[in-house]
Amino acid sequence: MDSNALKAFVTIVDQGSFSEAAETLHLTQPAISKRLAALETQLGSPLLERSHRQIRLTDAGARLLPHARRILDEVHNARLSLQDRDGAVSGHLSLIASHHIGLHHLPAWLQRLNQDYPDVTLGLQFTDSEGAYDRMRRRSAELAFVTLSESMDQSFEVHARWEDEMVFVVSPDHPLATLEAPDLSALSGYDALLPEAGTATYRTVSRLFLDADLSLNLPMPTNYMETLKVMAGVGLGWSVLPVRMVDESLTVLPVAHRVSRFLGAIGLRGRSLSAQARALLAIAGEIR
């Protein structure tokens, strides 16, 4: 099978339209349609159904898709194997980062990468961690720096992992800030400012309250830690934030429960990392 035709097929599926797939692959829409048609002719079966501007996989397309991804991954691995022979660290590196890692970790790593390896070019995408997992499944980047999830499926490989300690915080003017030893029942009486349900931070905190048979009042969930920090700092409720984000706008509550999460770098299992990706991981291991 022609790898370009397979790539066209996979990209159409991932992007959900011929026009967006064509833009992603820097092709015209007729060109990408021609590649798909050639693949369907070769296989003797339609791979996609087109109706009401929606694209759906046929049974044959659904069976082909995982194989197509693995074939393209092996083509990728073969190219990297040939490129790595000279030991040079150069070329394009596509990354996804959660907003928190992008603000508080990534700048120092990229500054060092640019200093040590000036021939590396970057493509950056910023999203929440949950969105990053979906983009990685679609091969939108080589590495993603995210909050690691307990429910992460086996298609991902963790290349780096570190603990991110968190603390309960409020505004210095918040009533909870006057308590010497606030407990979870005291916090339960005030609004909580937390990421949305399904995130690692929310699951960790909600489990504490569930075990204590206490409710969480969550009026304004958001996955942006910087937004949570601002809302907590102006007295809209209490929050749980990474220690490195705490400044004079917040008061740390001495709650007798330790909270942390794990951050890390993930790639796709079975898909080799480029020399530039390995160089960035080495730098991230040195600079936390």
Side-chain angles (χ1 to χ4, degrees):
M1 296 180 191
D2 179 59
S3 63
N4 288 326
L6 288 173
K7 191 169 186 178
F9 164 63
V10 170
T11 306
I12 293 167
V13 173
D14 288 342
Q15 297 300 322
S17 80
F18 281 76
S19 59
E20 291 186 24
E23 184 177 348
T24 299
L25 296 178
H26 307 292
L27 296 170
T28 64
Q29 191 167 331
I32 204 167
S33 297
K34 184 176 180 180
R35 290 187 181 185
L36 178 66
L39 183 61
E40 290 177 326
T41 299
Q42 182 184 16
L43 296 176
S45 179
L47 301 174
L48 299 173
E49 293 178 352
R50 310 158 184 81
S51 61
H52 304 293
R53 296 186 178 181
Q54 289 186 335
I55 293 174
R56 296 180 181 177
L57 287 165
T58 63
D59 178 66
R63 283 183 281 133
L64 175 64
L65 185 60
H67 297 287
R69 292 198 192 280
R70 285 196 292 271
I71 290 168
L72 292 175
D73 286 346
E74 283 304 316
V75 171
H76 165 85
N77 294 345
R79 287 174 177 160
L80 284 185
S81 179
L82 295 174
Q83 291 170 3
D84 282 351
R85 288 183 302 175
D86 59 6
V89 180
S90 61
H92 189 71
L93 174 58
S94 56
L95 301 172
I96 300 172
S98 70
H99 297 286
H100 173 74
I101 294 177
L103 283 172
H104 297 280
H105 296 272
L106 198 60
W109 302 342
L110 296 185
Q111 181 182 38
R112 172 76 174 277
L113 184 73
N114 186 55
Q115 290 173 349
D116 293 354
Y117 307 103
D119 293 329
V120 174
T121 60
L122 294 170
L124 295 173
Q125 305 173 53
F126 296 98
T127 184
D128 56 46
S129 293
E130 286 65 37
Y133 285 104
D134 182 58
R135 293 190 189 189
M136 285 296 290
R137 290 187 187 94
R138 292 185 278 121
R139 275 61 174 174
S140 294
E142 186 173 3
L143 277 178
F145 291 94
V146 297
T147 302
L148 297 179
S149 170
E150 297 174 353
S151 59
M152 182 173 60
D153 64 55
Q154 293 300 309
S155 62
F156 296 109
E157 182 173 355
V158 178
H159 294 289
R161 173 187 173 98
W162 67 95
E163 191 170 11
D164 191 36
E165 184 180 355
M166 307 182 81
V167 287
F168 291 84
V169 297
V170 291
S171 162
D173 300 325
H174 194 281
L176 287 170
T178 64
L179 302 181
E180 291 186 6
D183 56 15
L184 296 182
S185 62
L187 270 64
S188 184
Y190 296 91
D191 286 347
L193 304 171
L194 297 171
E196 297 174 350
T199 61
T201 300
Y202 176 84
R203 286 196 299 267
T204 298
V205 176
S206 65
R207 193 176 297 127
L208 291 176
F209 282 78
L210 184 63
D211 291 344
D213 197 24
L214 294 169
S215 61
L216 270 174
N217 185 22
L218 195 65
M220 296 174 286
T222 175
N223 290 348
Y224 299 100
M225 287 289 180
E226 293 296 327
T227 303
L228 294 174
K229 176 183 175 181
V230 170
M231 292 195 297
V234 298
L236 297 182
W238 59 268
S239 188
V240 177
L241 296 174
V243 171
R244 68 187 305 145
M245 290 183 66
V246 177
D247 58 22
E248 66 278 358
S249 70
L250 298 169
T251 294
V252 175
L253 298 175
V255 177
H257 293 277
R258 185 173 182 272
V259 177
S260 67
R261 60 182 181 171
F262 284 92
L263 307 180
I266 62 167
L268 286 162
R269 194 174 302 278
R271 190 173 173 89
S272 301
L273 294 180
S274 64
Q276 50 269 36
R278 297 195 302 271
L280 181 59
L281 287 173
I283 291 170
E286 296 175 17
I287 306 173
R288 286 283 189 261

